Structures are given as structure tokens and as C-alpha cells.
């Protein structure tokens, strides 16, 4: 089955700092992008929730400097700055990869601002703040939910990843990998 309209939706963005708890709290790092890039993408406005698709990282990246800790900020994201380095994405990390994406207010954490964040199903050599990220959003999985525990949230994310892999294994999705957008 091919992606159902309005998908595929292509988003050309870059990686910014988030709340700083994806890796530390959940063990599931997410590359955050400006929520405005998601809102401008053509996906029906205000449709928060969990999506799946493909991602490709490229270009130069830097190191993230946080000017305060997530704990100090509560529901607001900490101020961050990306300090450029001479590093660029290595070829084995710069391929089209499966991803799951979460958009919204993270009810479990009660954020005061919407975020858009992408977990790529791949083991990266390093963090890649400031790098370019190209996304093909290929479908919607579910709305955002609240959970009774961090463990329950993690379990649901694992389930999302399983579903994403199943969808992406179907013919119509695989072809998007060779789309001109990713060249
Ligand atoms: P933040 O809140 O700043 O986004 P995270 O812990 O969610 O912190 O993610 C940190 C960073 O980890 C991402 O911005 C990205 O550079 C890097 N990263 C490493 N592996 C992955 C991956 N598999 N998927 C997404 N990001 C990853
Ligand atoms: N946060 C929620 O509060 N509720 C969710 O249902 C939820 N689902 C997610 C699904 C995926 C695939 C990913 C990558 C993240 C999800 N999150 C959800 C966001 C999670 O809380 C967030 O990644 C961390 O707070 C780190 O920023
Ligand atoms: Mg993140």
C-alpha cells in the first residue's frame, strides 16, 4: 500500500536543542526541529500525535550548550546554543533511515510549548545538533497520550517503532527512499 494523501509530506529542517530528557529519561534520543517547520508542512493544522516515515541527516553539526537545566525550566524548554565544530555527518549515518516522530505538548510532561521531535531507528556515532534533517512523513500512528509511568511511555514508543517498521516494509513506502527530495 502506498502512502495515503496528504502523505508523503516532505519537511526540510535542521536539528535544534530540546528539553534534554529524551536520552536521559527515556533512553530514546529525539532530534528536535522547530515546531513551525512541522506546522508549515501541509499536514492538517493542529494535528498533533505520533507519525512515522523516513529521515536523512546531512551537513555540518556542532555541540549543544544548555544555559539552564530542564529541572529549572519546568514546562518551558531551556535556552540553548549550538556551537559549530568542523564535523560533518559520516557517510554511514547519512543514509535514508526509518523514523518515528512525536508532535505536540507531551501530555506526560505537560510542556507549555509544542515540540516536534524525531527518533531515528539507527545507532549514530555522535549527537548532531545543527545538522540538516530531511523528513518524509508517511503516515499517522496515534494521538499523544498521558501515561501512568515512564516505563509505560517507553513501552508505547517501542510499539510505535515496531509499527513504523511494519508499514515501511510495505512496497509503496520503500520507493520514497529514492525520491528526488532525498538526493
Ligand atoms: P534534546 O532534548 O536536546 O532533543 P535528546 O536526548 O532528545 O535531547 O536528543 C539528543 C540528540 O541526540 C539529538 O538532537 C541528536 O543529535 C542525537 N541523536 C543520537 N541518536 C539519535 C537517534 N537515533 N535519533 C534521533 N536523535 C539522535
Ligand atoms: N510524550 C507524551 O507525553 N505522550 C506520548 O504519547 C508520546 N509519544 C511519543 C512517541 C514517540 C515515537 C516519541 C519519539 C516520543 C513520544 N513522546 C510522547 C515524547 C516524549 O515524551 C519525548 O520524546 C521526551 O519528553 C523527550 O523530549
Ligand atoms: Mg529531543
Amino acid at each position: 500500500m502506498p502512502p495515503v494523501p496528504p502523505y508523503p509530506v516532505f519537511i526540510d529542517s535542521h536539528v535544534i536543542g530540546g528539553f534534554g530528557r529524551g536520552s536521559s529519561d527515556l533512553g530514546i534520543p529525539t532530534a528536535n526541529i522547530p515546531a513551525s517547520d512541522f506546522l508549515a508542512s501541509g499536514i492538517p493544522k493542529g494535528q498533533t500525535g505520533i507519525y512515522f516515515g523516513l529521515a536523512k541527516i546531512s551537513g555540518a553539526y556542532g555541540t549543544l550548550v544548555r544555559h539552564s537545566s530542564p529541572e529549572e525550566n519546568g514546562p518551558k524548554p531551556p535556552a540553548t546554543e549550538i556551537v559549530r565544530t568542523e564535523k560533518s555527518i559520516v557517510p554511514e549515518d547519512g543514509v535514508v533511515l526509518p523514523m518515528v516522530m512525536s508532535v505536540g505538548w507531551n501530555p506526560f510532561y505537560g510542556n507549555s510549548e509544542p515540540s516536534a521531535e524525531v527518533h531515528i531507528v539507527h545507532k549514530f556515532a555522535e549527537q548532531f545538533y545543527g545538522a540538516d534533517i530531511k523528513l518524509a512523513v508517511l503516515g499517522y500512528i496515534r494521538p499523544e497520550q498521558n501515561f501512568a509511568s515512564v516505563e509505560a511511555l517507553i513501552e508505547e514508543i517501542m510499539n510505535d517503532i515496531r509499527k513504523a517498521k511494519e508499514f515501511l516494509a510495505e512496497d509503496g513506502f520503500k520507493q520514497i527512499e529514492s525520491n528526488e527530495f532525498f538526493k
Side-chain angles (χ1 to χ4, degrees), residues 19 21 70-78 105 109-113:
F19 281 84
R21 59 191 176 210
E71 294 73 31
E72 287 171 59
N73 280 271
K76 274 183 80 65
W105 280 266
Y109 290 98
N111 293 352
S112 63
E113 290 175 25

Side-chain angles (χ1 to χ4, degrees), residues 15 17-23 29-32 66 118-120 122 124 127-129:
V15 180
F19 281 84
R21 59 191 176 210
S23 310
T30 59
N32 290 50
R66 289 184 199 280
V118 179
H119 172 69
I120 302 173
H122 179 73
F124 285 89
Q127 294 187 323
F128 44 85
Y129 287 103

Side-chain angles (χ1 to χ4, degrees), residues 91-109:
E92 54 268 41
D93 289 347
V95 294
V96 181
L97 297 161
M99 65 85 172
V100 280
M101 183 172 184
S102 166
V103 181
W105 280 266
N106 295 7
F108 182 73
Y109 290 98

Side-chain angles (χ1 to χ4, degrees), residues 85-155:
T85 56
E86 295 304 305
K87 293 180 172 178
S88 290
I89 298 295
V90 294
E92 54 268 41
D93 289 347
V95 294
V96 181
L97 297 161
M99 65 85 172
V100 280
M101 183 172 184
S102 166
V103 181
W105 280 266
N106 295 7
F108 182 73
Y109 290 98
N111 293 352
S112 63
E113 290 175 25
S115 64
E117 42 180 315
V118 179
H119 172 69
I120 302 173
V121 187
H122 179 73
K123 184 98 185 82
F124 285 89
E126 285 193 289
Q127 294 187 323
F128 44 85
Y129 287 103
D132 296 319
I133 181 167
K134 283 187 172 193
L135 303 169
V137 184
L138 300 180
Y140 187 75
I141 301 181
R142 63 173 175 91
E144 288 186 288
Q145 286 164 236
N146 202 346
F147 294 92
S149 65
V150 168
E151 290 72 26
L153 170 60
I154 294 172
E155 201 177 308

Side-chain angles (χ1 to χ4, degrees), residues 17-20 63-74 76-84 129:
F19 281 84
T63 317
L64 192 79
V65 179
R66 289 184 199 280
H67 293 295
S68 57
S69 70
E71 294 73 31
E72 287 171 59
N73 280 271
K76 274 183 80 65
T80 58
E81 179 189 347
I82 294 166
V83 179
R84 285 275 168 192
Y129 287 103

